[in-house]
């Protein structure tokens, strides 16, 4: 059973809006546009989203992009890109709108390959070593986490996606799931899932300076939210600092510590929500029990009691 990280201190189209044909309201001849331009102007545009109303019956089915994401084909954003490229079909018909609503994935293919219905959510914890890219491929040819995962994940794990990223030189806990919607939920800052890091840094810093981060900090025009930071131990001018945050902006821990005059020589993610790195060896992975996934989901905004 995972334990929580230690708490420290305190498609429908519609007419174009705001435009009129040349015949409306008696437009003068000199203001008329060429036929080709007029045709472009008068093309239907997507209507604004219809506000949800409790009086409306519940919609049957889900948007195709969401279904593909839930089935682990790709993230929702990546699924939208696949649709835009015409790579998704229902039977022989190309699906050209990510807002297309379907009740199931029966008959749906991506690049000609049938898509399976979503399986039960699975979640894995992986101890990412430093020196791996959190991506499927790297243009520079650097090794990726997927090379290591071939040996780390159990047989039959299927396609998994990382929840958040760890930089090339950052090590520690990386969560992986087959559920694109679950991934998205855990990554959204609004969900507020805490991430805990341990940083080894060189320089001078006081506990009082670290405690000031509880109110957040602005660096070069970027605002970083609440950070719960504490000194773990110090040896000369080297110290280990533990930091818990919930936004997870790009290189946030390194940037904050460097702003405070420290040079980070090692960075480890120790926990993501209630899931902890513990003594998991580098390059290995373990699976979270379904009951623990469901217990965690009940703690998230909108989770079922």
């Amino acid at each position: 059973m995972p334990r929580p990280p230690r708490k420290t201190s305190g498609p429908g189209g519609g007419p174009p809006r705001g435009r009129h044909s040349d015949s409306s309201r008696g437009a003068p001849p000199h203001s008329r546009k060429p036929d080709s331009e007029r045709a472009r102007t008068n093309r239907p545009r997507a209507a604004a989203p219809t506000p949800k109303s409790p009086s409306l019956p519940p919609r049957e089915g889900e948007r195709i992009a969401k279904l593909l994401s839930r089935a682990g084909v790709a993230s929702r954003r990546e699924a939208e890109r696949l649709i835009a490229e015409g790579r998704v079909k229902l039977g022989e018909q190309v699906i050209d709108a990510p807002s297309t609503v379907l009740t199931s994935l029966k008959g749906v293919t991506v690049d000609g390959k049938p898509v399976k219905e979503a399986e039960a959510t699975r979640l894995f914890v992986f101890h990412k070593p430093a020196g791996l890219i959190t991506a499927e491929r790297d243009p520079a040819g650097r090794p990726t986490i997927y090379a290591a995962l071939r040996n780390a994940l159990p047989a039959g794990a299927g396609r998994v996606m990382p929840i958040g990223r760890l930089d090339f030189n950052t090590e520690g806990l990386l969560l992986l799931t087959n559920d694109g919607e679950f991934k998205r939920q855990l990554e959204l800052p609004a969900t507020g899932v805490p991430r805990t890091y341990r940083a080894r840094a060189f320089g001078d810093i006081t506990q009082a300076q670290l405690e000031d981060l509880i109110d957040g900090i602005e660096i070069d025009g970027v605002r970083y939210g609440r950070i719960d930071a504490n000194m773990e131990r110090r040896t000369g001018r080297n110290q280990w600092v533990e930091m818990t945050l919930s936004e997870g902006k790009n290189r946030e821990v390194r940037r904050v510590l460097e702003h405070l005059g420290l040079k980070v020589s090692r960075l480890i993610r120790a926990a993501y929500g209630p899931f902890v790195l513990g003594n998991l060896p580098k390059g290995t992975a373990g699976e979270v029990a379904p009951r623990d996934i469901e217990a965690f989901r009940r703690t998230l905004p909108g989770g079922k009691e």
Side-chain angles (χ1 to χ4, degrees):
M1 178 77 180
R3 60 182 178 83
R6 177 174 59 86
K7 278 286 182 181
T8 53
S9 61
R17 293 177 292 180
R19 296 180 184 268
H20 306 277
S21 65
D22 291 341
S23 60
S24 65
R25 299 194 179 184
H30 67 270
S31 68
R32 295 181 181 176
K33 300 177 181 178
D35 290 344
S36 59
E37 184 177 349
R38 194 161 60 242
R40 287 196 300 270
T41 302
N42 292 330
R43 283 175 183 166
R45 297 181 180 177
T50 303
K52 292 182 179 180
S53 169
S55 64
L56 294 176
R59 182 179 67 191
E60 293 186 5
E62 295 285 353
R63 295 188 176 199
I64 179 64
K66 183 175 182 179
L67 289 174
L68 291 174
S69 174
R70 172 65 184 86
V73 172
S75 66
R76 193 184 295 192
R77 182 176 297 178
E78 179 69 10
E80 291 174 352
R81 185 181 68 81
L82 294 173
I83 293 167
E85 293 175 353
R87 297 164 62 183
V88 181
K89 292 183 178 181
L90 176 59
E92 295 301 316
Q93 182 180 359
V94 174
I95 296 177
D96 57 7
S99 58
T100 301
V101 174
L102 299 177
T103 57
S104 75
L105 289 170
K106 184 177 181 180
V108 174
T109 60
V110 176
D111 294 334
K113 298 178 180 180
V115 178
K116 296 180 181 179
E117 291 290 345
E119 299 177 349
T121 299
R122 299 181 72 176
L123 183 66
F124 300 92
V125 293
F126 173 58
H127 188 158
K128 174 193 173 296
L132 295 179
I133 293 292
T134 309
E136 290 195 40
R137 60 188 63 86
D138 179 49
R142 292 173 295 181
T144 75
I145 60 168
Y146 287 93
L149 288 173
R150 282 196 292 268
N151 296 321
L153 293 176
R159 184 183 187 276
V160 294
M161 299 164 283
I163 297 173
R165 291 176 177 268
L166 289 178
D167 295 338
F168 182 72
N169 290 319
T170 302
E171 57 191 285
L173 179 66
L174 184 64
L175 296 179
L176 304 130
T177 183
N178 63 338
D179 186 337
E181 285 303 298
F182 188 44
K183 162 185 164 70
R184 180 171 178 268
Q185 186 178 25
L186 267 63
E187 291 176 339
L188 287 173
T191 308
V193 179
R195 295 91 148 152
T196 298
Y197 296 81
R198 296 180 63 239
R200 184 178 66 193
F202 176 81
D204 295 318
I205 192 77
T206 66
Q207 179 61 36
Q209 287 176 286
L210 293 174
E211 288 178 359
D212 286 341
L213 296 174
I214 202 71
D215 296 320
I217 188 172
E218 185 171 322
I219 303 173
D220 297 330
V222 178
R223 180 70 187 176
Y224 298 99
R226 172 192 175 107
I227 300 174
D228 189 352
N230 288 276
M231 187 86 70
E232 282 193 335
R233 65 178 185 269
R234 168 182 282 170
T235 305
R237 296 186 68 197
N238 280 291
Q239 52 259 309
W240 280 94
V241 178
E242 182 189 74
M243 302 175 70
T244 298
L245 47 98
S246 59
E247 286 185 316
K249 291 179 178 175
N250 186 36
R251 299 177 62 83
E252 180 170 348
V253 173
R254 292 181 186 274
R255 286 176 174 169
V256 169
L257 292 179
E258 288 170 1
H259 178 75
L260 295 176
L262 300 178
K263 183 177 181 180
V264 178
S265 58
R266 190 177 179 190
L267 183 58
I268 305 167
R269 182 153 66 193
Y272 198 118
F275 309 107
V276 299
L277 184 63
N279 296 319
L280 186 68
K282 285 184 182 180
T284 64
E287 184 166 9
V288 177
R291 64 178 180 275
D292 293 334
I293 297 174
E294 292 309 310
F296 171 54
R297 275 182 150 164
R298 288 194 290 271
T299 68
L300 299 175
K304 297 179 181 179
E305 295 295 337

